[in-house]
Amino acid sequence: MNKILDIIFPFYENRKAKKIIEAKMFPKNEQGEDITPTGILEDIENSDKISTEKLKELYDNTFKTKDKLEDKAKTNIIGITISVSLIIGASGLLSAINIKFGNSLIALCAIIFLIAGVTYMILAGLLVIHVLIGENETYNVNLSSIANGEKLLQDDYDKCIAQNQRKNIIRNNYVFTSYACIRNSLACLFIILLFIAIPNNLSSKCQSDALEVYSSQTYAFSFTSSTIDYLKENDVRDVVERAVISAMKKSQSNESDGTFSIIDESNMLFIKYEVSGNSVKILLLEPYTIK
């Protein structure tokens, strides 16, 4: 369960890891007072045999690692650009899914996945922006350490290397979390793609099933394939059903069966339907124009 939560909310795990690392970067004693952070040489035997040149090499490598992580972070900023494109195209995308299925539950699922996908992509961009702005601190060797002897210089290198390495771990975790958010966003968008890629005959069946289930207290509606094609392009299903029920209540008894035609002037529609008991089949839908 925790693994699933970490996948869905990768930024939460990143936050916990950052607190652990910062506790090592800014340690406190039992009284809550600041103490000197440990260096990389503390747990190494015969650390006095490590030369200053070697420490300087490790020190320089921390800056190279920082630059590489920031380069990776810069490439992830494209996530914000993708988010803007998704937001701009969201209306047409959701409208197409709603028309294709004619099912409010499927449309709601699509909305949820789209919002989640855009949110993940925006978070991915914000995380790497934070790497470039909020986590750009580095620890540098003081000039006074160079002037005050080899021992003090080595100690300064030791502390700076350890702090820079910890800071690089924080940067790396942010970049990793950003990639995890992009992964989750792509998963959400892939699910939306599946909605769009479902064959028309299957979506028509889903839509037809939904329409047949829908009924007033008295009538159950079904639609022919030609009318379903019209409904895909024009969201008038509820309008058609209300118009037919209203016409049947006004001019027909519940026992009347047969084929009938009406004109819904308020919505400019010509509707042809067939009644058989409590079942109503919509045979034809066409726009109506007054000449």
Side-chain angles (χ1 to χ4, degrees):
M1 186 64 182
N2 289 335
K3 183 67 174 178
I4 295 174
L5 290 176
D6 290 343
I7 292 173
I8 298 175
F9 305 107
F11 33 84
Y12 178 69
E13 187 67 20
N14 176 61
R15 183 180 179 184
K16 290 194 300 181
K18 182 179 179 182
K19 287 183 177 180
I20 294 173
I21 298 170
E22 286 184 336
K24 295 180 180 180
M25 293 183 69
F26 311 105
K28 297 180 182 294
N29 58 22
E30 294 180 355
Q31 290 73 37
E33 299 172 342
D34 292 334
I35 58 177
T36 303
T38 59
I40 62 171
L41 300 179
E42 184 168 311
D43 298 324
I44 299 178
E45 294 184 5
N46 301 320
S47 59
D48 55 318
K49 295 182 179 180
I50 298 177
S51 65
T52 304
E53 289 73 18
K54 184 61 179 178
L55 289 175
K56 183 179 184 305
E57 182 182 343
L58 292 174
Y59 173 75
D60 292 337
N61 285 339
T62 62
F63 289 94
K64 293 178 181 178
T65 302
K66 170 183 175 293
D67 292 339
K68 290 178 180 179
L69 290 171
E70 288 183 347
D71 288 340
K72 289 183 179 180
K74 291 173 185 177
T75 62
N76 280 16
I77 295 178
I78 194 174
I80 294 181
T81 304
I82 296 174
S83 301
V84 173
S85 301
L86 290 173
I87 293 170
I88 293 174
S91 177
L93 186 65
L94 295 176
S95 177
I97 292 174
N98 187 45
I99 292 173
K100 185 170 187 176
F101 290 94
N103 187 308
S104 58
L105 181 60
I106 293 178
L108 178 61
C109 290
I111 291 172
I112 292 172
F113 280 114
L114 181 63
I115 291 175
V118 172
T119 302
Y120 275 126
M121 199 66 77
I122 291 174
L123 284 173
L126 292 178
L127 286 167
V128 294
I129 288 175
H130 181 75
V131 171
L132 299 174
I133 297 176
E135 301 294 342
N136 61 346
E137 182 181 12
T138 58
Y139 293 83
N140 301 296
V141 172
N142 294 322
L143 289 175
S144 60
S145 300
I146 300 174
N148 291 329
E150 193 81 4
K151 177 60 179 174
L152 186 60
L153 178 60
Q154 284 193 343
D155 185 64
D156 204 0
Y157 270 130
D158 179 32
K159 298 294 188 300
C160 289
I161 291 169
Q163 293 294 74
N164 284 339
Q165 286 179 344
R166 290 163 184 153
K167 181 62 76 172
N168 282 338
I169 292 173
I170 291 176
R171 293 187 186 100
N172 183 71
N173 288 345
Y174 268 97
V175 173
F176 175 83
T177 305
S178 176
Y179 278 114
C181 287
I182 292 176
R183 174 202 63 202
N184 291 354
S185 177
L186 292 176
C188 292
L189 297 178
F190 178 74
I191 293 173
I192 295 176
L193 175 63
L194 291 180
F195 285 137
I196 299 173
I198 288 176
N200 285 333
N201 58 346
L202 182 58
S203 64
S204 296
K205 184 178 184 302
C206 293
Q207 188 180 52
S208 180
D209 291 343
L211 292 172
E212 288 177 2
V213 169
Y214 175 85
S215 65
S216 65
Q217 295 296 324
T218 308
Y219 307 105
F221 282 81
S222 62
F223 289 69
T224 62
S225 59
S226 61
T227 58
I228 288 178
D229 290 338
Y230 183 85
L231 291 176
K232 289 180 184 177
E233 300 175 359
N234 305 275
D235 189 14
V236 293
R237 183 191 69 184
D238 292 339
V239 169
V240 171
E241 294 181 359
R242 286 197 299 268
V244 171
I245 291 173
S246 177
M248 293 174 68
K249 287 181 177 179
K250 288 180 181 178
S251 59
Q252 299 166 219
S253 65
N254 291 338
E255 292 79 18
S256 298
D257 292 347
T259 301
F260 306 91
S261 299
I262 60 171
I263 293 174
D264 182 5
E265 295 183 356
S266 61
N267 294 287
M268 307 301 289
L269 278 176
F270 173 77
I271 306 169
K272 185 177 180 180
Y273 60 94
E274 180 182 69
V275 180
S276 178
N278 290 334
S279 298
V280 179
K281 179 181 287 186
I282 306 300
L283 303 174
L284 182 64
L285 286 176
E286 290 183 348
Y288 171 74
T289 305
I290 299 176
K291 296 183 179 180

